[in-house]
Amino acid sequence: MVENIWGNNQNERVANYFDTVVKDGSLNQTLVIQNIIDTHIGEEIKVPSGTYLIDYLNIPNGTHLRGEINTVFMSNLEDKVIRILSGVSCLIENIHVAGKNEVIRPTSKGNQIGWYLDGCLSVTLNRCSASGCNDSGIKIKNTGYSSSAQYYKVPILNNFKAFRNYIGIKNDVRGEYCQLNGCISAENYIGYFTGGGNNMVSNSQFNRNQNGAKVVGGTTDGVTYPNNSHASFTGCQFNHNIDDSIRFENVEVGYMLTGCQFFDGDVVFKGSTKGVIINASEGGTWSINSDSPNQNMLSNCFFYTKPSGNWEKTLVHKNNIGTGAVIEDTPTVETNIDEKDLIFKARYDFYRTSNRGVSSWSAGGPNIFWGCKDVVVSPKKYVGYVLIKVMNYKEGSMKECSLSVVDAATDILLENLLIKCIPEIRKIDGEYYALVPVKKEFDRHIYFIAGVNRGNSASEMGMAYGRINSSSAFAYFGTSMPSVGEIVPFNTSTINCELIVCQDYR
Protein backbone atom coordinates (compact mmCIF):
# COMPACT_ATOMS: atom_id res chain seq x y z
CA MET A 1 0.00 0.00 0.00
CA VAL A 2 1.33 3.45 -0.95
CA GLU A 3 1.48 5.98 1.87
CA ASN A 4 0.42 9.51 0.92
CA ILE A 5 2.10 12.37 2.77
CA TRP A 6 0.68 15.87 2.81
CA GLY A 7 3.21 18.65 2.21
CA ASN A 8 3.00 22.26 3.39
CA ASN A 9 0.59 22.97 0.59
CA GLN A 10 -2.42 20.82 1.40
CA ASN A 11 -3.45 20.80 -2.26
CA GLU A 12 -0.22 19.02 -3.18
CA ARG A 13 0.19 15.33 -2.41
CA VAL A 14 3.68 13.82 -2.30
CA ALA A 15 3.79 10.05 -2.58
CA ASN A 16 6.49 8.12 -0.72
CA TYR A 17 7.46 5.20 -2.96
CA PHE A 18 10.61 4.32 -1.01
CA ASP A 19 9.07 2.51 1.98
CA THR A 20 10.44 -0.86 0.93
CA VAL A 21 13.72 0.34 -0.60
CA VAL A 22 16.87 -0.64 1.33
CA LYS A 23 18.37 2.53 2.78
CA ASP A 24 21.58 1.37 4.49
CA GLY A 25 23.79 0.86 1.43
CA SER A 26 23.97 -2.89 1.92
CA LEU A 27 22.06 -4.02 -1.19
CA ASN A 28 22.13 -2.75 -4.76
CA GLN A 29 18.84 -0.91 -5.45
CA THR A 30 19.44 0.22 -9.03
CA LEU A 31 16.51 -1.61 -10.65
CA VAL A 32 14.05 -0.75 -7.88
CA ILE A 33 14.82 2.98 -7.92
CA GLN A 34 14.97 3.19 -11.72
CA ASN A 35 11.52 1.60 -11.89
CA ILE A 36 10.10 4.15 -9.40
CA ILE A 37 11.46 7.03 -11.49
CA ASP A 38 10.30 5.61 -14.84
CA THR A 39 6.75 4.89 -13.64
CA HIS A 40 6.11 8.23 -11.94
CA ILE A 41 7.27 10.81 -14.46
CA GLY A 42 5.70 14.20 -13.80
CA GLU A 43 5.22 13.55 -10.10
CA GLU A 44 7.31 14.84 -7.24
CA ILE A 45 9.11 11.77 -5.95
CA LYS A 46 10.27 12.04 -2.36
CA VAL A 47 13.55 10.23 -1.64
CA PRO A 48 13.88 9.86 2.15
CA SER A 49 17.16 10.17 4.04
CA GLY A 50 19.32 7.11 3.69
CA THR A 51 22.17 5.63 1.67
CA TYR A 52 21.03 3.92 -1.55
CA LEU A 53 23.57 1.66 -3.26
CA ILE A 54 23.23 1.91 -7.06
CA ASP A 55 25.22 1.40 -10.23
CA TYR A 56 23.68 4.26 -12.21
CA LEU A 57 20.35 5.95 -12.89
CA ASN A 58 18.93 7.35 -16.14
CA ILE A 59 16.79 10.43 -15.54
CA PRO A 60 13.89 10.75 -18.00
CA ASN A 61 12.30 13.99 -19.14
CA GLY A 62 9.86 15.41 -16.59
CA THR A 63 11.48 13.87 -13.51
CA HIS A 64 11.23 15.62 -10.12
CA LEU A 65 13.28 14.00 -7.35
CA ARG A 66 13.26 15.60 -3.90
CA GLY A 67 15.68 14.25 -1.34
CA GLU A 68 16.07 15.17 2.30
CA ILE A 69 19.09 15.93 4.45
CA ASN A 70 21.45 12.95 4.08
CA THR A 71 19.82 11.43 1.01
CA VAL A 72 22.78 9.67 -0.63
CA PHE A 73 23.11 7.68 -3.85
CA MET A 74 26.29 5.64 -3.44
CA SER A 75 28.00 3.97 -6.40
CA ASN A 76 31.15 1.94 -7.00
CA LEU A 77 30.70 2.01 -10.78
CA GLU A 78 33.70 3.41 -12.67
CA ASP A 79 31.35 5.28 -15.01
CA LYS A 80 28.57 7.86 -15.06
CA VAL A 81 26.29 7.58 -12.02
CA ILE A 82 23.34 10.01 -12.50
CA ARG A 83 22.75 10.41 -16.24
CA ILE A 84 20.71 13.33 -17.59
CA LEU A 85 20.88 13.13 -21.36
CA SER A 86 19.62 14.65 -24.61
CA GLY A 87 16.38 16.61 -24.47
CA VAL A 88 15.77 16.03 -20.77
CA SER A 89 14.29 18.70 -18.50
CA CYS A 90 14.08 17.83 -14.81
CA LEU A 91 14.25 19.13 -11.24
CA ILE A 92 16.35 17.35 -8.61
CA GLU A 93 16.81 18.54 -5.04
CA ASN A 94 18.87 17.49 -2.00
CA ILE A 95 20.57 14.46 -3.56
CA HIS A 96 24.21 13.60 -2.82
CA VAL A 97 26.24 11.25 -5.04
CA ALA A 98 29.00 9.44 -3.16
CA GLY A 99 31.76 7.99 -5.30
CA LYS A 100 34.03 5.11 -4.44
CA ASN A 101 37.25 6.95 -3.62
CA GLU A 102 36.90 10.00 -1.36
CA VAL A 103 40.43 11.45 -1.07
CA ILE A 104 41.47 15.01 -0.23
CA ARG A 105 42.81 16.62 -3.43
CA PRO A 106 43.27 13.33 -5.35
CA THR A 107 46.00 13.28 -7.99
CA SER A 108 44.91 10.15 -9.87
CA LYS A 109 42.24 10.51 -12.56
CA GLY A 110 39.71 7.79 -13.33
CA ASN A 111 36.32 7.49 -15.07
CA GLN A 112 33.72 7.91 -12.34
CA ILE A 113 31.40 10.89 -12.83
CA GLY A 114 28.81 11.71 -10.18
CA TRP A 115 26.38 13.76 -12.28
CA TYR A 116 26.59 13.54 -16.08
CA LEU A 117 24.65 16.09 -18.14
CA ASP A 118 24.97 15.67 -21.92
CA GLY A 119 22.70 17.54 -24.33
CA CYS A 120 20.07 18.19 -21.65
CA LEU A 121 17.75 21.19 -21.54
CA SER A 122 16.10 22.79 -18.49
CA VAL A 123 17.87 20.90 -15.72
CA THR A 124 17.86 22.47 -12.26
CA LEU A 125 19.85 20.95 -9.41
CA ASN A 126 19.07 22.51 -6.04
CA ARG A 127 21.33 21.79 -3.06
CA CYS A 128 22.77 18.68 -4.68
CA SER A 129 26.35 17.49 -4.27
CA ALA A 130 29.03 14.95 -5.20
CA SER A 131 32.16 13.58 -3.59
CA GLY A 132 34.74 10.88 -4.16
CA CYS A 133 34.48 10.76 -7.99
CA ASN A 134 37.82 10.32 -9.73
CA ASP A 135 36.76 12.04 -12.96
CA SER A 136 34.26 14.75 -12.00
CA GLY A 137 31.68 15.46 -9.34
CA ILE A 138 29.54 16.85 -12.16
CA LYS A 139 30.30 17.04 -15.89
CA ILE A 140 28.20 19.11 -18.32
CA LYS A 141 28.50 18.72 -22.14
CA ASN A 142 26.71 19.80 -25.31
CA THR A 143 24.20 22.17 -23.77
CA GLY A 144 24.50 24.99 -26.30
CA TYR A 145 25.56 23.99 -29.77
CA SER A 146 22.78 23.82 -32.42
CA SER A 147 20.07 24.08 -29.81
CA SER A 148 17.27 26.55 -30.49
CA ALA A 149 16.39 26.44 -26.81
CA GLN A 150 19.87 27.29 -25.57
CA TYR A 151 18.91 30.81 -24.48
CA TYR A 152 16.04 29.92 -22.17
CA LYS A 153 16.43 26.19 -21.41
CA VAL A 154 19.69 26.00 -19.55
CA PRO A 155 21.25 23.85 -16.80
CA ILE A 156 21.18 25.64 -13.44
CA LEU A 157 23.17 24.59 -10.38
CA ASN A 158 22.00 26.25 -7.16
CA ASN A 159 24.15 25.68 -4.07
CA PHE A 160 25.85 22.65 -5.61
CA LYS A 161 28.70 21.24 -3.52
CA ALA A 162 31.61 19.22 -4.90
CA PHE A 163 34.39 17.97 -2.68
CA ARG A 164 37.21 15.43 -2.80
CA ASN A 165 36.78 14.69 -6.51
CA TYR A 166 39.45 14.87 -9.20
CA ILE A 167 37.48 17.73 -10.79
CA GLY A 168 34.68 19.19 -8.72
CA ILE A 169 32.56 20.90 -11.40
CA LYS A 170 33.32 20.58 -15.11
CA ASN A 171 31.84 22.38 -18.11
CA ASP A 172 33.27 20.18 -20.83
CA VAL A 173 33.21 20.60 -24.63
CA ARG A 174 30.18 22.69 -25.58
CA GLY A 175 29.04 22.70 -21.96
CA GLU A 176 27.49 26.12 -22.50
CA TYR A 177 24.84 28.54 -21.19
CA CYS A 178 24.98 27.17 -17.65
CA GLN A 179 24.38 29.09 -14.43
CA LEU A 180 26.25 28.23 -11.24
CA ASN A 181 24.91 30.09 -8.21
CA GLY A 182 26.26 29.81 -4.68
CA CYS A 183 28.29 26.69 -5.42
CA ILE A 184 31.15 25.35 -3.29
CA SER A 185 33.96 23.21 -4.69
CA ALA A 186 36.70 22.29 -2.21
CA GLU A 187 39.46 19.73 -1.61
CA ASN A 188 39.40 18.62 -5.25
CA TYR A 189 42.40 18.42 -7.54
CA ILE A 190 40.68 21.06 -9.72
CA GLY A 191 37.75 22.89 -8.19
CA TYR A 192 36.19 24.11 -11.43
CA PHE A 193 37.15 23.31 -15.03
CA THR A 194 35.47 25.01 -17.96
CA GLY A 195 35.94 24.96 -21.71
CA GLY A 196 32.37 25.94 -22.57
CA GLY A 197 31.22 29.42 -23.49
CA ASN A 198 28.52 31.70 -22.08
CA ASN A 199 28.54 30.23 -18.57
CA MET A 200 27.85 32.43 -15.57
CA VAL A 201 29.28 31.67 -12.12
CA SER A 202 28.22 33.84 -9.18
CA ASN A 203 28.78 33.93 -5.41
CA SER A 204 30.68 30.66 -5.50
CA GLN A 205 33.73 29.38 -3.62
CA PHE A 206 36.64 27.43 -5.09
CA ASN A 207 38.80 27.12 -1.99
CA ARG A 208 41.42 24.70 -0.68
CA ASN A 209 41.78 22.72 -3.87
CA GLN A 210 45.07 21.77 -5.45
CA ASN A 211 44.00 24.16 -8.24
CA GLY A 212 41.04 26.49 -7.81
CA ALA A 213 39.85 26.83 -11.41
CA LYS A 214 41.08 26.09 -14.92
CA VAL A 215 39.58 27.96 -17.87
CA VAL A 216 40.61 26.61 -21.29
CA GLY A 217 39.96 27.19 -24.97
CA GLY A 218 41.26 26.41 -28.41
CA THR A 219 43.14 23.12 -28.29
CA THR A 220 44.41 22.41 -24.79
CA ASP A 221 45.92 19.11 -23.64
CA GLY A 222 44.89 17.54 -26.96
CA VAL A 223 41.19 18.48 -26.67
CA THR A 224 39.55 21.11 -28.90
CA TYR A 225 37.05 23.46 -27.24
CA PRO A 226 34.98 25.34 -29.86
CA ASN A 227 33.11 28.49 -28.83
CA ASN A 228 35.34 28.43 -25.78
CA SER A 229 35.17 30.03 -22.39
CA HIS A 230 33.74 33.49 -22.91
CA ALA A 231 31.89 33.82 -19.65
CA SER A 232 32.08 35.36 -16.19
CA PHE A 233 32.80 34.93 -12.50
CA THR A 234 31.05 37.40 -10.20
CA GLY A 235 31.64 37.62 -6.46
CA CYS A 236 33.63 34.37 -6.28
CA GLN A 237 36.45 33.21 -4.00
CA PHE A 238 39.65 31.46 -5.05
CA ASN A 239 41.32 31.17 -1.65
CA HIS A 240 44.04 28.93 -0.20
CA ASN A 241 44.53 26.76 -3.27
CA ILE A 242 47.91 25.05 -3.30
CA ASP A 243 49.09 25.58 -6.91
CA ASP A 244 46.90 27.82 -9.07
CA SER A 245 44.09 30.06 -7.88
CA ILE A 246 42.91 30.22 -11.48
CA ARG A 247 44.58 29.36 -14.79
CA PHE A 248 43.55 30.68 -18.21
CA GLU A 249 44.95 28.62 -21.06
CA ASN A 250 44.31 29.40 -24.75
CA VAL A 251 41.13 31.33 -23.90
CA GLU A 252 40.50 33.08 -27.21
CA VAL A 253 37.34 35.13 -26.72
CA GLY A 254 37.75 36.77 -23.32
CA TYR A 255 36.50 36.27 -19.77
CA MET A 256 35.27 38.66 -17.08
CA LEU A 257 35.94 38.37 -13.35
CA THR A 258 34.38 40.99 -11.08
CA GLY A 259 34.43 41.25 -7.30
CA CYS A 260 36.53 38.12 -6.78
CA GLN A 261 39.09 37.20 -4.11
CA PHE A 262 42.47 35.54 -4.63
CA PHE A 263 44.49 34.57 -1.56
CA ASP A 264 47.38 32.13 -2.03
CA GLY A 265 48.01 30.38 -5.31
CA ASP A 266 48.92 31.69 -8.76
CA VAL A 267 46.83 33.54 -11.31
CA VAL A 268 48.14 32.29 -14.67
CA PHE A 269 47.67 33.43 -18.27
CA LYS A 270 48.97 30.86 -20.76
CA GLY A 271 49.20 30.31 -24.50
CA SER A 272 46.92 32.34 -26.75
CA THR A 273 44.77 33.69 -23.92
CA LYS A 274 43.37 37.14 -24.63
CA GLY A 275 40.62 39.44 -23.43
CA VAL A 276 40.56 38.21 -19.83
CA ILE A 277 39.64 41.08 -17.49
CA ILE A 278 39.98 40.86 -13.71
CA ASN A 279 38.19 43.89 -12.29
CA ALA A 280 37.31 45.20 -8.81
CA SER A 281 38.89 42.21 -7.10
CA GLU A 282 41.38 41.67 -4.30
CA GLY A 283 44.27 39.38 -3.54
CA GLY A 284 47.14 38.60 -1.23
CA THR A 285 50.18 36.30 -0.86
CA TRP A 286 49.83 35.45 -4.54
CA SER A 287 51.69 35.43 -7.83
CA ILE A 288 50.45 36.54 -11.24
CA ASN A 289 52.24 34.97 -14.20
CA SER A 290 51.71 35.29 -17.91
CA ASP A 291 53.42 34.07 -21.06
CA SER A 292 50.52 35.15 -23.27
CA PRO A 293 51.56 37.71 -25.93
CA ASN A 294 48.00 39.04 -26.11
CA GLN A 295 46.29 41.72 -24.08
CA ASN A 296 44.65 40.80 -20.78
CA MET A 297 43.76 43.30 -18.08
CA LEU A 298 43.95 43.77 -14.33
CA SER A 299 42.00 46.84 -13.26
CA ASN A 300 40.59 48.54 -10.16
CA CYS A 301 41.90 45.81 -7.87
CA PHE A 302 43.29 45.93 -4.34
CA PHE A 303 46.48 44.09 -3.49
CA TYR A 304 46.67 43.08 0.16
CA THR A 305 50.23 42.04 -0.62
CA LYS A 306 52.10 42.79 -3.81
CA PRO A 307 51.73 39.97 -6.34
CA SER A 308 55.02 38.48 -7.44
CA GLY A 309 55.52 37.13 -10.94
CA ASN A 310 55.82 38.75 -14.37
CA TRP A 311 52.37 40.31 -14.71
CA GLU A 312 53.65 43.89 -15.06
CA LYS A 313 55.38 43.00 -18.31
CA THR A 314 52.47 41.25 -19.98
CA LEU A 315 49.16 42.61 -18.64
CA VAL A 316 47.42 45.93 -19.06
CA HIS A 317 47.04 47.19 -15.50
CA LYS A 318 45.19 50.32 -14.45
CA ASN A 319 44.05 51.99 -11.23
CA ASN A 320 44.90 49.13 -8.91
CA ILE A 321 45.52 49.92 -5.27
CA GLY A 322 48.34 48.53 -3.16
CA THR A 323 49.45 49.41 0.35
CA GLY A 324 49.68 53.19 -0.01
CA ALA A 325 50.06 53.10 -3.78
CA VAL A 326 48.18 53.34 -7.06
CA ILE A 327 49.18 51.25 -10.05
CA GLU A 328 48.70 53.05 -13.31
CA ASP A 329 49.01 51.86 -16.86
CA THR A 330 50.69 55.08 -17.99
CA PRO A 331 53.53 56.36 -15.77
CA THR A 332 53.99 60.06 -15.10
CA VAL A 333 57.73 60.74 -15.09
CA GLU A 334 59.22 64.24 -14.99
CA THR A 335 62.58 63.37 -16.47
CA ASN A 336 63.95 61.81 -19.60
CA ILE A 337 63.60 58.20 -18.39
CA ASP A 338 62.38 56.04 -21.26
CA GLU A 339 58.92 54.91 -20.18
CA LYS A 340 59.39 51.62 -22.01
CA ASP A 341 62.15 50.80 -19.54
CA LEU A 342 60.11 51.82 -16.52
CA ILE A 343 58.50 48.66 -15.16
CA PHE A 344 57.66 50.18 -11.78
CA LYS A 345 57.68 53.71 -10.58
CA ALA A 346 57.14 54.91 -7.03
CA ARG A 347 53.35 54.91 -7.12
CA TYR A 348 53.35 51.42 -8.59
CA ASP A 349 54.56 49.92 -5.36
CA PHE A 350 52.99 48.42 -2.34
CA TYR A 351 55.19 48.62 0.74
CA ARG A 352 55.61 52.20 1.95
CA THR A 353 56.26 53.81 5.30
CA SER A 354 53.98 56.39 6.79
CA ASN A 355 55.11 60.03 6.82
CA ARG A 356 55.92 61.26 10.32
CA GLY A 357 56.46 64.97 9.78
CA VAL A 358 59.47 66.70 11.37
CA SER A 359 62.24 68.91 10.06
CA SER A 360 64.66 67.03 7.84
CA TRP A 361 68.29 66.53 8.65
CA SER A 362 70.35 68.35 6.04
CA ALA A 363 73.81 68.52 7.58
CA GLY A 364 76.63 66.89 5.71
CA GLY A 365 75.01 67.08 2.31
CA PRO A 366 71.85 65.45 0.95
CA ASN A 367 69.69 63.54 3.34
CA ILE A 368 68.06 60.24 2.53
CA PHE A 369 64.98 59.51 4.59
CA TRP A 370 64.95 55.85 5.47
CA GLY A 371 62.12 53.45 6.11
CA CYS A 372 61.30 51.88 9.42
CA LYS A 373 59.23 48.94 10.64
CA ASP A 374 56.13 50.02 8.74
CA VAL A 375 57.69 48.49 5.63
CA VAL A 376 57.25 44.74 5.99
CA VAL A 377 57.88 42.37 3.09
CA SER A 378 56.06 39.05 3.07
CA PRO A 379 57.94 35.74 2.86
CA LYS A 380 58.84 34.35 -0.56
CA LYS A 381 58.69 37.80 -2.13
CA TYR A 382 61.25 38.88 -4.69
CA VAL A 383 62.58 42.39 -4.13
CA GLY A 384 64.33 44.03 -7.04
CA TYR A 385 65.03 47.51 -5.70
CA VAL A 386 64.44 49.80 -2.77
CA LEU A 387 63.59 53.43 -3.49
CA ILE A 388 64.42 55.96 -0.79
CA LYS A 389 63.26 59.55 -0.92
CA VAL A 390 66.15 62.04 -1.03
CA MET A 391 65.88 65.49 0.51
CA ASN A 392 68.02 68.54 -0.33
CA TYR A 393 69.47 66.78 -3.32
CA LYS A 394 72.25 68.51 -5.21
CA GLU A 395 73.57 66.94 -8.38
CA GLY A 396 76.95 65.31 -7.88
CA SER A 397 76.80 65.47 -4.09
CA MET A 398 75.29 62.06 -3.36
CA LYS A 399 76.82 60.28 -0.36
CA GLU A 400 77.58 56.63 0.11
CA CYS A 401 74.71 54.67 1.61
CA SER A 402 74.11 51.25 3.08
CA LEU A 403 71.21 48.81 3.27
CA SER A 404 70.52 45.97 5.70
CA VAL A 405 67.67 43.55 6.26
CA VAL A 406 66.08 42.82 9.64
CA ASP A 407 63.81 39.98 10.79
CA ALA A 408 60.43 41.64 11.40
CA ALA A 409 59.58 39.28 14.26
CA THR A 410 62.77 39.63 16.32
CA ASP A 411 64.41 42.91 15.20
CA ILE A 412 67.61 40.91 14.61
CA LEU A 413 69.76 42.04 11.70
CA LEU A 414 69.97 39.17 9.21
CA GLU A 415 72.22 40.52 6.50
CA ASN A 416 74.14 43.59 5.36
CA LEU A 417 73.08 43.80 1.73
CA LEU A 418 75.06 46.86 0.62
CA ILE A 419 77.91 48.80 2.21
CA LYS A 420 79.21 52.06 0.74
CA CYS A 421 76.90 52.01 -2.25
CA ILE A 422 76.62 55.14 -4.39
CA PRO A 423 72.98 54.90 -5.52
CA GLU A 424 71.50 55.98 -8.81
CA ILE A 425 69.16 58.98 -8.45
CA ARG A 426 65.78 59.09 -10.21
CA LYS A 427 63.35 61.98 -10.33
CA ILE A 428 59.78 60.69 -10.07
CA ASP A 429 56.71 62.90 -9.79
CA GLY A 430 58.85 65.87 -8.85
CA GLU A 431 60.71 64.06 -6.03
CA TYR A 432 64.21 62.61 -5.96
CA TYR A 433 64.71 58.95 -5.06
CA ALA A 434 67.81 56.89 -4.50
CA LEU A 435 67.53 53.62 -6.38
CA VAL A 436 69.26 50.87 -4.39
CA PRO A 437 69.50 47.39 -5.98
CA VAL A 438 68.55 44.31 -3.93
CA LYS A 439 67.55 41.62 -6.48
CA LYS A 440 66.78 38.67 -4.26
CA GLU A 441 63.93 36.72 -2.66
CA PHE A 442 63.48 36.61 1.10
CA ASP A 443 62.15 33.62 3.00
CA ARG A 444 60.59 35.43 5.97
CA HIS A 445 58.93 38.67 7.02
CA ILE A 446 61.64 41.32 6.88
CA TYR A 447 62.07 45.05 6.80
CA PHE A 448 64.92 47.22 5.58
CA ILE A 449 67.13 49.67 7.41
CA ALA A 450 69.47 52.00 5.61
CA GLY A 451 72.05 54.65 6.33
CA VAL A 452 74.02 57.43 4.71
CA ASN A 453 77.53 58.75 5.30
CA ARG A 454 76.87 61.83 7.44
CA GLY A 455 80.16 63.50 6.62
CA ASN A 456 83.36 62.96 4.74
CA SER A 457 84.75 60.09 6.77
CA ALA A 458 83.97 56.44 6.29
CA SER A 459 83.78 56.14 10.07
CA GLU A 460 80.67 58.30 9.95
CA MET A 461 78.75 55.67 8.00
CA GLY A 462 76.08 55.48 10.67
CA MET A 463 72.44 54.60 10.48
CA ALA A 464 71.15 58.15 10.90
CA TYR A 465 67.92 58.89 9.10
CA GLY A 466 66.38 61.96 10.67
CA ARG A 467 66.44 64.51 13.43
CA ILE A 468 64.12 64.11 16.38
CA ASN A 469 62.26 67.38 17.01
CA SER A 470 64.79 70.23 17.38
CA SER A 471 67.40 68.40 19.41
CA SER A 472 70.82 67.56 18.15
CA ALA A 473 70.23 63.88 18.78
CA PHE A 474 69.71 61.71 15.75
CA ALA A 475 67.67 58.54 15.48
CA TYR A 476 70.35 56.07 14.51
CA PHE A 477 71.45 52.52 14.99
CA GLY A 478 75.02 53.35 15.97
CA THR A 479 78.03 55.17 14.62
CA SER A 480 78.80 52.33 12.21
CA MET A 481 77.03 49.52 10.43
CA PRO A 482 75.34 47.12 12.84
CA SER A 483 76.57 43.55 12.89
CA VAL A 484 74.68 40.48 11.74
CA GLY A 485 72.87 38.97 14.73
CA GLU A 486 72.44 42.25 16.60
CA ILE A 487 69.04 43.42 17.80
CA VAL A 488 68.47 46.76 16.11
CA PRO A 489 67.02 49.46 18.41
CA PHE A 490 64.53 51.89 16.90
CA ASN A 491 63.54 55.41 17.76
CA THR A 492 61.18 56.39 14.97
CA SER A 493 58.12 57.86 16.61
CA THR A 494 58.57 61.34 15.12
CA ILE A 495 60.62 60.65 12.02
CA ASN A 496 59.51 61.66 8.56
CA CYS A 497 60.57 58.90 6.20
CA GLU A 498 59.66 57.29 2.92
CA LEU A 499 60.95 53.98 1.64
CA ILE A 500 59.44 51.94 -1.17
CA VAL A 501 60.06 48.28 -1.97
CA CYS A 502 59.89 47.36 -5.66
CA GLN A 503 59.71 44.06 -7.41
CA ASP A 504 61.31 45.59 -10.46
CA TYR A 505 62.36 49.08 -11.51
CA ARG A 506 64.41 49.62 -14.65
Side-chain angles (χ1 to χ4, degrees):
M1 178 179 178
V2 175
E3 177 186 359
N4 290 323
I5 300 175
W6 294 93
N8 291 330
N9 182 348
Q10 294 187 358
N11 295 317
E12 178 184 3
R13 299 173 66 126
V14 180
N16 184 353
Y17 301 111
F18 278 73
D19 280 349
T20 61
V21 180
V22 177
K23 302 178 179 62
D24 63 1
S26 63
L27 187 65
N28 194 307
Q29 301 292 285
T30 301
L31 294 179
V32 176
I33 296 174
Q34 188 68 64
N35 181 64
I36 293 172
I37 294 172
D38 291 344
T39 56
H40 296 90
I41 293 172
E43 297 182 34
E44 180 180 317
I45 303 171
K46 178 183 176 183
V47 188
S49 295
T51 298
Y52 302 90
L53 178 62
I54 61 171
D55 292 325
Y56 65 90
L57 296 174
N58 288 312
I59 305 300
N61 188 37
T63 299
H64 181 185
L65 295 179
R66 180 167 64 86
E68 297 177 333
I69 296 174
N70 298 323
T71 297
V72 179
F73 288 159
M74 181 176 68
S75 178
N76 295 318
L77 184 70
E78 189 79 359
D79 205 335
K80 309 167 189 72
V81 179
I82 306 296
R83 305 175 181 185
I84 307 174
L85 304 178
S86 180
V88 171
S89 295
C90 63
L91 171 61
I92 302 178
E93 302 174 284
N94 298 322
I95 302 288
H96 175 72
V97 175
K100 66 176 187 176
N101 191 30
E102 189 166 307
V103 176
I104 296 175
R105 292 181 286 273
T107 57
S108 297
K109 185 180 182 301
N111 297 309
Q112 189 177 45
I113 301 169
W115 300 80
Y116 182 71
L117 283 61
D118 187 353
C120 58
L121 293 177
S122 296
V123 172
T124 299
L125 303 183
N126 291 332
R127 299 176 300 281
C128 293
S129 54
S131 65
C133 299
N134 56 18
D135 182 297
S136 308
I138 182 168
K139 180 182 287 188
I140 303 171
K141 297 180 63 177
N142 300 317
T143 54
Y145 182 56
S146 297
S147 170
S148 61
Q150 65 188 9
Y151 300 111
Y152 62 93
K153 292 186 176 181
V154 297
I156 299 175
L157 277 60
N158 293 318
N159 306 115
F160 189 91
K161 293 181 175 64
F163 51 95
R164 300 182 181 181
N165 308 283
Y166 184 78
I167 297 175
I169 301 171
K170 184 173 184 178
N171 284 97
D172 206 350
V173 175
R174 292 286 184 182
E176 303 173 10
Y177 294 95
C178 300
Q179 293 183 21
L180 280 65
N181 308 306
C183 297
I184 296 174
S185 189
E187 295 187 342
N188 307 283
Y189 184 74
I190 301 175
Y192 178 57
F193 180 105
T194 179
N198 304 295
N199 297 307
M200 302 172 65
V201 184
S202 63
N203 303 313
S204 296
Q205 298 175 337
F206 306 100
N207 299 338
R208 299 191 181 280
N209 302 282
Q210 190 74 26
N211 301 277
K214 186 173 182 179
V215 183
V216 303
T219 300
T220 302
D221 298 330
V223 179
T224 299
Y225 297 90
N227 195 34
N228 68 83
S229 289
H230 46 292
S232 64
F233 291 100
T234 304
C236 295
Q237 286 184 340
F238 304 86
N239 288 356
H240 310 303
N241 295 290
I242 294 174
D243 292 333
D244 297 339
S245 285
I246 189 166
R247 173 179 289 255
F248 300 94
E249 194 159 346
N250 300 318
V251 176
E252 298 173 338
V253 270
Y255 217 94
M256 173 65 78
L257 295 87
T258 303
C260 296
Q261 294 176 304
F262 305 92
F263 283 85
D264 299 330
D266 294 348
V267 176
V268 181
F269 301 81
K270 298 283 290 184
S272 58
T273 293
K274 62 183 177 183
V276 174
I277 301 173
I278 301 178
N279 181 58
S281 298
E282 62 172 339
T285 62
W286 57 338
S287 294
I288 304 177
N289 295 287
S290 171
D291 66 4
S292 172
N294 303 304
Q295 280 200 333
N296 299 284
M297 179 176 285
L298 196 69
S299 62
N300 302 307
C301 295
F302 175 77
F303 301 139
Y304 175 73
T305 59
K306 170 188 175 181
S308 60
N310 65 342
W311 60 282
E312 308 86 0
K313 304 174 184 178
T314 57
L315 303 182
V316 176
H317 43 94
K318 183 99 178 154
N319 298 329
N320 301 294
I321 306 289
T323 302
V326 176
I327 304 174
E328 293 179 337
D329 186 37
T330 305
T332 302
V333 183
E334 298 179 17
T335 185
N336 58 358
I337 298 174
D338 186 349
E339 291 186 6
K340 293 180 181 178
D341 294 331
L342 195 62
I343 304 303
F344 275 107
K345 67 186 182 71
R347 281 167 44 225
Y348 274 34
D349 299 293
F350 308 92
Y351 307 105
R352 183 192 291 258
T353 64
S354 58
N355 289 324
R356 301 184 181 277
V358 295
S359 300
S360 67
W361 167 53
S362 59
N367 172 36
I368 299 180
F369 281 179
W370 302 110
C372 59
K373 286 186 67 175
D374 302 74
V375 188
V376 179
V377 179
S378 301
K380 298 299 182 184
K381 293 299 179 184
Y382 171 82
V383 176
Y385 298 86
V386 171
L387 285 167
I388 309 101
K389 190 174 181 181
V390 181
M391 301 299 292
N392 306 313
Y393 174 70
K394 297 178 182 179
E395 187 174 353
S397 64
M398 190 61 231
K399 300 287 186 177
E400 295 173 333
C401 65
S402 57
L403 186 69
S404 301
V405 62
V406 176
D407 188 310
T410 64
D411 290 350
I412 292 176
L413 190 141
L414 299 174
E415 182 179 359
N416 288 318
L417 297 172
L418 294 170
I419 300 176
K420 298 183 180 180
C421 169
I422 302 293
E424 180 183 350
I425 301 298
R426 293 283 178 96
K427 188 178 182 183
I428 303 168
D429 295 335
E431 303 286 353
Y432 287 101
Y433 290 85
L435 181 66
V436 181
V438 177
K439 298 185 177 180
K440 66 178 296 182
E441 183 180 86
F442 297 94
D443 63 358
R444 68 185 77 184
H445 285 283
I446 57 97
Y447 55 88
F448 295 101
I449 61 171
V452 64
N453 189 329
R454 294 172 289 157
N456 297 318
S457 169
S459 65
E460 295 184 356
M461 176 61 80
M463 286 289 137
Y465 55 51
R467 184 166 62 191
I468 299 175
N469 298 326
S470 60
S471 72
S472 59
F474 293 102
Y476 63 98
F477 310 112
T479 57
S480 61
M481 287 290 294
S483 300
V484 173
E486 282 187 40
I487 293 180
V488 181
F490 279 94
N491 187 354
T492 60
S493 60
T494 58
I495 292 177
N496 182 353
C497 52
E498 183 176 49
L499 180 149
I500 304 164
V501 178
C502 305
Q503 181 184 5
D504 200 0
Y505 189 106
R506 291 185 285 199

